[in-house]
Amino acid sequence: MPDRDATIAAFLDAQRGRQQAFLAELVKVPSDNPPGDCRPHAERAAELLEGLGLEVERHPVPDDQVRANGMVSATNLVVRRRFGEGTGPVVALNAHGDVVPPGEGWTKDPYGAEVVDGRMYGRGVAVSKSDFATYAWALLALEELERQGVPLNGTVELHLTYDEEAGGNIGPGSLMREGVSKPDLVIGAGFSYAVVTAHNGCLHLEVQVDGRSAHAAMPFTGVDALEAATGILSALYDWRRGLSGRVSAVPGIGSPQLTVGLIKGGINTNVVPDRVTFRLDRRMIPEERSKEVEAELRSVIAEAAEAFPDARIEVRRILVVEPLAPLPGGERVTELLCRHASEIMGEPVRHKGVPLYTDAPHYASLGIPVVLYGAGPRSIEEANAHRADERLPLADLRKATEVVTLTLADLLAGRR
């Protein structure tokens, strides 16, 4: 029987250049969401995976569902590999290929995959195209173990999806609703050294305030939508101050947050605004649920709107992602990831919560334990995630792949 850990390390060392080239090809294909035209990236990813000898299932999302999700196109990719008798656990590895648009301020080509001082630069290189590479090579390393005679029993699946930036409803949500997969455990894309077991949820609401236009010489003949919107916004900001008193019991989470991120309206400088819309982002701690949070926000808005009876107020839900909280059955994969990561990274790696949101709750809502871990710098800030010059230390890609491989090998071998 070969030394399992040494076999994994030697295989990944030999594959380092190939893995990095794979990641570079993924970075070079834009998959910005919005607008969310992600089918071309999925096709390229499928071709690359098939070039590694993996069988890839393509699951195109129907156009009506894509449009309802505010996107242009999406295809979910699934890779399945059974080991041994296949009676062991089914472990899914989920990463998303859609990314936020590059924005301004880049000093490197956001689609160039340029490597400088051991770091690869590009939009999505850290969040989370890197984990397409992490998880694919973890699977390849398991295949190498099997060739060397190391006993494994169970199934590993790759779930590569394209709507995390829009909440995951037509990505992991679709795979679960359609019964494409029924995993026992899920490891989702990571973005730091930590093992993430909990995170915030997110609710996006759009508030539309309709008034009646009028000439600025006679504003009293109209209904000023901006005045009403300002009153509602003032009430929301006043109410926001109380959120600091609600603190999650999960380390790393903190308090709920409210941000008004978009606002538009008006016709011209000399016209009373007839319509103003704004969108707000409400981050929910793991102890909260979206139904109650939305009801509270709508109540604040409705109460403020009473001061402007001639204006019409409409509130629309744009996005909702429930918070992620630890589930029974996830303790073992969390312990394994923390142990192996601490050994490979050379520093203590612990589990914690983060004040972000992902598409992982689509698994957790079905009672499937899900833990987030993958390639990434020590922190989100070091990755420049969602900012200019997003980057990934390639040494961390190699290390994270080893951590995931060792964890999977333990899960498929019944070891602790």
Side-chain angles (χ1 to χ4, degrees):
M1 180 74 64
D3 183 296
R4 185 198 71 168
D5 294 6
T7 298
I8 292 171
F11 175 80
L12 294 178
D13 283 340
Q15 292 281 318
R16 190 188 299 258
R18 196 180 181 199
Q19 185 183 28
Q20 293 173 11
F22 174 90
L23 174 56
E25 290 301 308
L26 295 176
V27 173
K28 291 175 183 177
V29 181
S31 53
D32 303 348
N33 190 10
D37 189 5
C38 294
R39 186 170 295 152
H41 192 279
E43 279 302 318
R44 180 60 176 143
E47 292 172 0
L48 292 167
L49 290 163
E50 288 168 342
L52 301 175
L54 300 174
E55 295 185 10
V56 182
E57 300 173 16
R58 293 166 173 81
H59 297 273
V61 182
D63 289 344
D64 59 338
Q65 295 181 28
V66 173
R67 289 192 296 270
N69 207 49
M71 294 174 59
V72 177
S73 69
T75 299
N76 297 318
L77 306 179
V78 176
V79 175
R80 306 178 203 263
R81 180 61 161 82
R82 193 178 82 165
F83 294 89
E85 297 179 355
T87 55
V90 177
V91 185
L93 308 175
N94 170 240
H96 67 93
D98 63 318
V99 299
V100 298
E104 303 298 325
W106 286 75
T107 65
K108 308 286 191 298
D109 180 354
Y111 309 112
E114 182 179 352
V115 178
V116 179
D117 295 330
R119 294 182 175 90
M120 185 180 291
Y121 287 78
R123 176 53 84 223
V125 70
V127 184
S128 74
K129 293 179 180 181
S130 56
D131 285 332
F132 278 42
T134 303
Y135 299 156
W137 258 263
L139 180 53
L140 294 175
L142 290 179
E143 291 185 336
E144 177 64 18
L145 285 182
E146 185 179 59
R147 282 191 292 269
Q148 297 294 330
V150 176
L152 300 170
N153 182 25
T155 300
V156 174
E157 298 182 350
L158 308 186
H159 294 180
L160 308 177
T161 56
Y162 284 89
D163 72 326
E164 195 269 353
E165 300 298 342
N169 189 53
I170 62 172
S174 177
L175 293 179
M176 295 300 98
R177 284 194 306 274
E178 301 298 324
V180 174
S181 172
K182 296 180 180 179
D184 299 306
L185 294 168
V186 176
I187 298 175
F191 28 74
S192 69
Y193 282 7
V195 176
V196 174
T197 56
H199 65 57
N200 279 350
C202 184
L203 173 67
H204 287 178
L205 296 180
E206 181 176 77
V207 181
Q208 179 176 309
V209 182
D210 286 319
R212 185 173 65 251
S213 64
H215 197 289
M218 296 181 291
F220 49 84
T221 63
V223 176
D224 192 331
L226 182 55
E227 181 183 18
T230 300
I232 295 170
L233 286 167
S234 294
L236 285 169
Y237 284 127
D238 287 342
W239 172 83
R240 182 175 70 173
R241 296 189 184 97
L243 293 178
S244 61
R246 310 179 190 181
V247 181
S248 174
V250 179
I253 294 290
S255 299
Q257 303 295 330
L258 175 69
T259 300
V260 178
L262 289 173
I263 185 167
K264 63 180 180 180
I267 298 171
N268 200 4
T269 308
N270 61 348
V271 180
V272 172
D274 62 346
R275 173 173 292 178
V276 172
T277 61
F278 60 88
R279 287 192 179 188
L280 58 86
D281 175 306
R282 170 66 159 83
R283 298 300 166 111
M284 301 173 284
I285 60 178
E287 290 84 352
E288 296 181 309
R289 287 297 174 265
S290 64
K291 183 178 180 180
E292 290 77 15
V293 168
E294 181 173 348
E296 185 178 23
L297 279 171
R298 286 178 178 269
S299 176
V300 173
I301 293 166
E303 184 176 347
E306 291 177 359
F308 308 93
D310 293 330
R312 298 189 307 277
I313 315 298
E314 183 179 353
V315 182
R316 293 184 288 269
R317 185 191 310 123
I318 303 299
L319 175 147
V320 61
V321 179
E322 297 292 345
L324 176 68
L327 289 175
E331 302 88 353
R332 186 178 177 216
V333 67
T334 299
E335 186 272 328
L336 289 171
L337 285 168
C338 288
R339 184 207 309 168
H340 290 307
S342 297
E343 293 170 354
I344 300 301
M345 297 298 178
E347 61 183 72
V349 173
R350 300 181 176 88
H351 65 85
K352 67 173 187 177
V354 295
L356 305 172
Y357 75 86
T358 73
D359 49 12
H362 288 283
Y363 297 104
S365 66
L366 300 176
I368 304 169
V370 53
V371 176
L372 307 182
Y373 182 81
R378 187 170 280 100
S379 68
I380 296 170
E381 291 77 14
E382 289 185 31
N384 282 338
H386 287 200
R387 297 189 299 193
D389 288 344
E390 183 177 345
R391 60 192 184 180
L392 175 73
L394 292 172
D396 285 349
L397 173 64
R398 161 66 180 79
K399 292 175 182 177
T401 306
E402 186 170 3
V403 171
V404 173
T405 307
L406 290 167
T407 299
L408 292 172
D410 282 341
L411 291 171
L412 270 58
R415 292 176 50 177
R416 284 195 60 83

